[in-house]
Amino acid sequence: WLLSPLVDQSAIEARLDRVQALVDGSTLRDALHEDLRTVGDLERLVAKAAVGRINPRELLQIDRAIRAAENVREHLAKSKGVLATDAEHWKLPIALADHLRASIEPEAPVNVQKGGVLRAGVDADLLELRHVTTHAKELLLEVQKRETERTGISSLKVGYNNVFGYYLEVRHTHRDKVPPEWVRKQTLTGAERYITDELKALEERILSAEERILALEVDLYGRVVARVCEEIAALQQVATDVASLDVLRGFAINASAWRYVRPGINSGS
C-alpha cells in the first residue's frame, strides 16, 4: 500500500470508511486482536504447501488460521455498516479445516518420517496396522487359544525364534493330535515345533507393520497436502482479506491513540 498508494478518490474514501468504522468501534477493534494474531502468516504456509514443503504442525496452523478467520468474519458480520457488508464476501474453506483436524494428530511431530502424524481413523489399513503393532501379543494368544480349542492340545503354546519365526510347540504326548496341515520345523527333546499358514501371515504382518505404517502415513500425508493445494486460491484470498483488515485496524488504533482527524479528499481544483 505504501509503494502503490491509492489515487482514485472513491477508493480512498472507501478505505477511510473502513478505518472510520474501526475507530468508532473500539469494542470490535479489541475483539479482533486475538483472532488476527492466530491467523499468522497464512500466505507463507500456503506457499509451502504449494511446493510440498509444509510440515504437519504447519498444516494444523492452517486449520487454526481458517477457524480464526471465521471468528473474524463473524465479528465483522455482527457489526454495522461497511464492515458487515465486507464480511458477506468472505469465503472460508471450513471443510478443509475440518479435514485437517480430522487427519492430523494434535501432537504430530514436525518430521513426517518419524511417524505418528496421521490419525488412525483416516484410513482402515492404517488402523489395522497400528492395531497389529500394539496388540501383537494378544493376536498371538488368540491363535494359541483358537488352535488349543480346535485340536484339544492343552499344552499348546506359541513361541518365536530367529530361524523360522513364530511357531506352535506341541509336547510329544499330544503329537497324535497335530493337524495334517501343520508343518513340522524342529524336534526337541520333549516337544516338536510347527508352523502354519496363519502364523506365517501374522508374523509378516507384525514384523513389517512398522515399515508399512510409515510408508502408508507418508502417502496419506501427501494426499492431505494435495487437498490443501486444491484450496490455494481460497486460502490466498483469506490471507489477503485478513491482512487488509489487520492493516486497517492498525490505522484505526493509531488514529485513536493520536487523535488523527479523517482527511477530506477533493480533486485539487
Side-chain angles (χ1 to χ4, degrees), residues 36-56:
L36 288 174
R37 177 186 233 170
T38 300
V39 171
D41 194 348
L42 179 59
E43 191 171 20
R44 181 182 67 86
L45 298 182
V46 172
K48 292 188 71 173
V51 295
R53 296 181 61 185
I54 189 166
N55 68 52

Side-chain angles (χ1 to χ4, degrees), residues 214-232:
L214 181 57
L216 183 55
E217 280 209 47
V218 170
D219 177 62
L220 292 171
Y221 183 77
R223 297 184 200 178
V224 175
V225 175
R227 175 74 175 81
V228 173
C229 291
E230 292 174 4
E231 300 284 358
I232 282 180

Side-chain angles (χ1 to χ4, degrees), residues 192-268:
E192 291 184 334
R193 292 173 174 174
Y194 299 82
I195 63 171
T196 68
D197 290 341
E198 181 184 18
L199 264 184
K200 293 307 291 182
L202 182 56
E203 175 185 330
E204 182 180 352
R205 287 170 61 198
I206 292 172
L207 298 182
S208 66
E210 288 293 346
E211 182 179 347
R212 292 168 62 195
I213 284 173
L214 181 57
L216 183 55
E217 280 209 47
V218 170
D219 177 62
L220 292 171
Y221 183 77
R223 297 184 200 178
V224 175
V225 175
R227 175 74 175 81
V228 173
C229 291
E230 292 174 4
E231 300 284 358
I232 282 180
L235 289 169
Q236 287 175 330
Q237 187 59 54
V238 172
T240 297
D241 291 338
V242 170
S244 297
L245 179 64
D246 194 27
V247 175
L248 293 171
R249 179 176 175 273
F251 289 168
I253 290 172
N254 283 332
S256 297
W258 296 98
R259 298 184 181 182
Y260 291 162
V261 176
R262 174 173 177 164
I265 309 297
N266 60 58
S267 62

Side-chain angles (χ1 to χ4, degrees), residues 145-185:
K145 180 181 178 182
R146 186 165 59 253
E147 292 298 327
T148 296
E149 293 174 351
R150 184 170 76 91
T151 62
I153 303 175
S154 58
S155 61
L156 185 70
K157 66 178 182 179
V158 174
Y160 178 84
N161 69 25
N162 293 326
V163 179
F164 47 83
Y166 290 106
Y167 57 81
L168 294 168
E169 185 170 294
V170 180
R171 298 184 66 81
H172 289 320
T173 53
H174 295 288
R175 187 166 47 190
D176 59 330
K177 298 178 183 178
V178 172
E181 67 270 17
W182 290 13
V183 179
R184 185 172 61 203
K185 299 297 292 186

